[in-house]
Amino acid sequence: MPRPTQLLHPSHSPAPTRAAATLLLLRDGAEGLEVLLTRRSAQARFAPGAYVFPGGGLDAADAQSHELASRRPQQDDMQLTHAIAAIRESFEELGVLLALHADGRWVEQPDIDALDRQGDFAAQCAARGLTLAADRVYWLAHWITDRDLPIRFDVPFMVARMPDGQQPVADESEQFEPVWLRPQDALARHAAGELHLIHPTIRTLEWLGAQASVDAVLALSATTEQPLWTSCPRGGWLGGRKVSVMEHEPAYGELELSCPDGQLLHRLDWQSEQAVGLLRNVQRLTAANPGFMTGPGTNSYLVGDPATGHVAIDPGPDEPEHIERLWRAAGGDIRAIVCTHSHPDHSPGAARLQTLVEQTGRPKPPILGLCSGPHSRHDSHFTPERELADGEQLRLCGPAGEARHTLRVLHTPGHAANHVCLLLEEDGLLFSGDHVLNGSTTVVAPPDGNMNDYLDSLDRLLAVCAEWQVGFILPAHGHVLGHAAQAIERLKAHRLAREAKVAAAMRALPDGQLDDWVRLAYDDAPERLWPVAKLSLQAHVQRIESLGGFNV
């Protein structure tokens, strides 16, 4: 993991979380699934005026009321306590009570009207012989409030069917205006500015909108006593406003690297005018070459600091403005230029950057990498001034000669025969070039690309992650990836799953050609992507044939 001395921002302790529980009450409406939302008080300290699902903090009495509740065999004490808290909060806030009489009848409105919503909840239920229907409450999701907020909750989102014969009535203190809405309608009203929703509510509604009925939701939730997802989002700035990013989204790793304690300080907008600081010793400058194959553009990286000078990784295309910005971001002090491979969006700018450094009176930085292979594309011929050796270390030293930043060279053929990745040893960072990308899957195009080599290189990177405790991957396209080993494992699994589809297509059409197989193997991708997909498909076909054919 990155050294604390290299973090951009001072250490910050997020506010502690408070245990809470939330209940999504569901019903099947005439036009589909509906969920009950209610507006929070405009004076509330947390999410004032937002439409939310009923819920609140746990009371000590919730854990002492287990004997009043029914439970599934799989529900542990903690889950039962949360279910009881969710039932209690729904009763206090909206007058909805998930409870049954001794004869198995659901409580109805006259029963609820006889109860004091401000009184001792457990005592009243016990006095009337009611059993809390905790066994009908299922755990859907687990949300932990963003680290940058001053008030935070650790809260299960639970689901249950709305009992018949009851009518939600807000307490007019904490909650107001209960309303039944289809998830899609709630989201549309939010987009139109009519309904204020907070991030966990939005994401949960997005998930609910894909479900057909209450039965479907409960069936999915009942498959496990664990949440279907858990998230503690991270906040960043995008388009001038705060956005909350979940763990599976592309920008999460970058926020985790740049602001590990959750400070709301990092901007996620793609721009090419200035370098973006990721750590004190790592900057990224994205070339102004966005496109179908490059995403937001090619990422050039600077590793180092003013005392050690810098190594420039992937100077990118030969664009004068980009090269000058890269040079300025390094304060003109670039000690070496490394190209991860020879493709035209990565290496052509090396010569211009070298010349710019030399013209300002500094020593000429060597251009390093591997020579392009014999089968490289006509636009990808590259000859470095010195070839890097696999395992070689490039050191940036301080004034006393001590090594401060060490880049280890890893030969990783597959995307290109001359591809290398770089490991920043002291901080556990992997500069992955095009071998691992964020937001897309790299193309492996024969003959220079080779799928066997590509998968073997992924295995090597997994071993490096384990040995060096690599936490983050800095790709040539897209944001920083967190949880490096898991990201590589997912990528390998995706490749092998695609290969299985390729083999199935070959079996289905044994006399077919690439154009025939791509329609089957990439039926989940837009047709406009098939010409590019066909390149990787060819690499998969070659690998399948090297393993003995599609019947193996």
Side-chain angles (χ1 to χ4, degrees):
M1 300 299 288
R3 292 165 285 179
T5 56
Q6 300 306 316
L7 296 177
L8 286 174
H9 308 294
S11 178
H12 162 75
S13 296
T17 58
R18 307 175 186 180
T22 288
L23 184 60
L24 281 69
L25 292 163
L26 308 176
R27 73 181 187 185
D28 292 312
E31 298 182 8
L33 176 71
E34 296 178 345
V35 62
L36 184 60
L37 290 162
T38 179
R39 179 173 60 81
R40 287 179 59 79
S41 167
Q43 283 71 48
R45 292 181 61 202
F46 183 82
Y51 279 80
V52 298
F53 313 117
L58 269 62
D59 284 350
D62 298 326
Q64 300 166 3
S65 302
H66 288 187
E67 72 282 356
L68 293 177
S70 55
R71 69 194 296 177
R72 298 184 299 278
Q74 301 86 354
Q75 276 177 304
D76 62 28
D77 285 350
M78 181 272 292
Q79 292 163 339
L80 184 60
T81 297
H82 279 89
I84 291 171
I87 292 171
R88 175 184 53 76
E89 285 287 336
S90 297
F91 168 70
E92 292 174 353
E93 293 182 348
L94 295 180
V96 174
L97 180 56
L98 272 68
L100 297 99
H101 292 283
D103 60 5
R105 291 180 297 111
W106 281 99
V107 297
E108 295 184 334
Q109 200 61 49
D111 303 305
I112 294 171
D113 293 341
L115 298 172
D116 178 5
R117 287 162 64 173
Q118 304 301 318
D120 186 320
F121 175 69
Q124 293 183 83
C125 290
R128 288 165 173 77
L130 301 180
T131 299
L132 305 180
D135 62 333
R136 314 288 180 94
V137 176
Y138 296 91
W139 201 350
L140 176 68
H142 181 191
W143 288 99
I144 304 166
T145 306
D146 302 26
R147 296 166 180 83
D148 62 276
L149 294 177
I151 301 174
R152 303 179 64 221
F153 295 95
D154 185 326
V155 52
F157 274 33
M158 315 185 92
V159 291
R161 186 187 299 275
M162 176 71 180
D164 293 332
Q166 299 187 29
Q167 182 66 36
V169 178
D171 61 8
E172 300 295 323
S173 172
E174 292 186 54
Q175 304 293 350
F176 300 82
E177 302 176 15
V179 57
W180 287 98
L181 289 171
R182 293 192 315 142
Q184 302 92 323
D185 295 335
L187 292 168
R189 289 180 60 182
H190 172 70
E194 301 172 2
L195 207 69
H196 174 37
L197 301 174
I198 59 175
H199 179 78
T201 309
I202 293 169
R203 292 309 180 90
T204 306
L205 287 170
E206 289 173 346
W207 185 88
L208 283 175
Q211 312 308 315
S213 65
V214 177
D215 283 343
V217 173
L218 297 182
L220 284 170
S221 301
T223 58
T224 174
E225 294 295 339
Q226 300 301 314
L228 298 183
W229 72 87
T230 297
S231 182
C232 179
R234 290 183 175 274
W237 294 99
L238 183 64
R241 64 182 182 89
K242 180 197 171 181
V243 293
S244 292
V245 179
M246 291 175 65
E247 288 78 355
H248 68 280
E249 295 179 307
Y252 190 88
E254 182 153 324
L255 293 172
E256 185 176 16
L257 174 63
S258 61
C259 299
D261 296 330
Q263 303 96 323
L264 187 61
L265 296 170
H266 191 72
R267 298 191 178 278
L268 296 168
D269 306 84
W270 287 108
Q271 50 80 26
S272 300
E273 289 72 35
Q274 59 186 11
V276 174
L278 299 172
L279 294 171
R280 291 185 182 275
N281 59 336
V282 179
Q283 300 177 72
R284 179 187 67 216
L285 180 65
T286 304
N289 63 335
F292 174 65
M293 297 296 291
T294 57
T298 301
N299 293 330
S300 300
Y301 292 99
L302 292 170
V303 175
D305 59 55
T308 65
H310 302 80
V311 172
I313 301 173
D314 281 340
D318 186 15
E319 291 290 339
E321 290 185 353
H322 173 70
I323 297 304
E324 182 172 347
R325 289 171 182 146
L326 191 61
W327 169 74
R328 289 188 183 280
D333 191 359
I334 295 177
R335 307 293 176 89
I337 302 168
V338 179
C339 299
T340 62
H341 60 297
S342 52
H343 286 171
D345 59 320
H346 290 259
S347 63
R352 184 180 295 273
L353 181 60
Q354 182 189 61
T355 299
L356 187 57
V357 174
E358 188 178 18
Q359 285 176 344
T360 56
R362 292 187 180 272
K364 183 171 80 170
I367 298 173
L368 309 175
L370 296 178
C371 290
S372 50
H375 302 295
S376 63
R377 297 170 357 204
H378 72 279
D379 61 353
S380 300
H381 295 308
F382 171 70
T383 302
E385 292 180 339
R386 179 173 73 78
E387 282 209 297
L388 294 169
D390 186 36
E392 176 182 350
Q393 292 174 310
L394 305 175
R395 293 186 177 91
L396 289 169
C397 298
E402 76 284 8
R404 290 191 180 179
H405 316 295
T406 306
L407 288 165
R408 180 180 292 269
V409 177
L410 307 168
H411 184 206
T412 50
H415 173 65
N418 69 334
H419 195 284
V420 297
C421 295
L422 297 165
L423 169 69
L424 182 54
E425 294 181 353
E426 293 87 352
D427 296 302
L429 302 182
L430 179 66
F431 295 87
S432 64
D434 275 359
H435 203 80
V436 180
L437 305 177
N438 189 349
S440 63
T441 305
T442 195
V443 175
V444 180
D448 197 47
N450 181 284
M451 191 61 72
N452 272 320
D453 289 345
Y454 182 81
L455 292 171
D456 288 345
S457 293
L458 285 181
D459 287 337
R460 183 184 185 189
L461 293 181
L462 278 172
V464 168
C465 288
E467 179 181 358
W468 291 93
Q469 297 183 317
V470 175
F472 298 91
I473 297 172
L474 283 69
H477 304 282
H479 289 294
V480 175
L481 282 156
H483 301 279
Q486 293 93 319
I488 295 171
E489 288 169 348
R490 287 195 301 270
L491 176 57
K492 182 177 179 181
H494 171 78
R495 280 295 193 190
L496 293 177
R498 184 68 69 188
E499 185 162 286
K501 292 190 70 173
V502 172
M506 294 170 71
R507 283 193 294 271
L509 299 171
D511 297 323
Q513 300 298 318
L514 296 180
D515 286 331
D516 305 311
W517 296 331
V518 75
R519 297 176 181 276
L520 298 179
Y522 286 84
D523 60 349
D524 56 341
E527 190 172 349
R528 60 183 174 83
L529 300 182
W530 289 355
V532 174
K534 191 167 64 173
L535 299 173
S536 291
L537 181 140
Q538 183 182 1
H540 278 299
V541 169
Q542 291 180 355
R543 173 177 148 80
I544 290 168
E545 290 174 342
S546 75
L547 296 174
F550 57 77
N551 288 317
V552 175

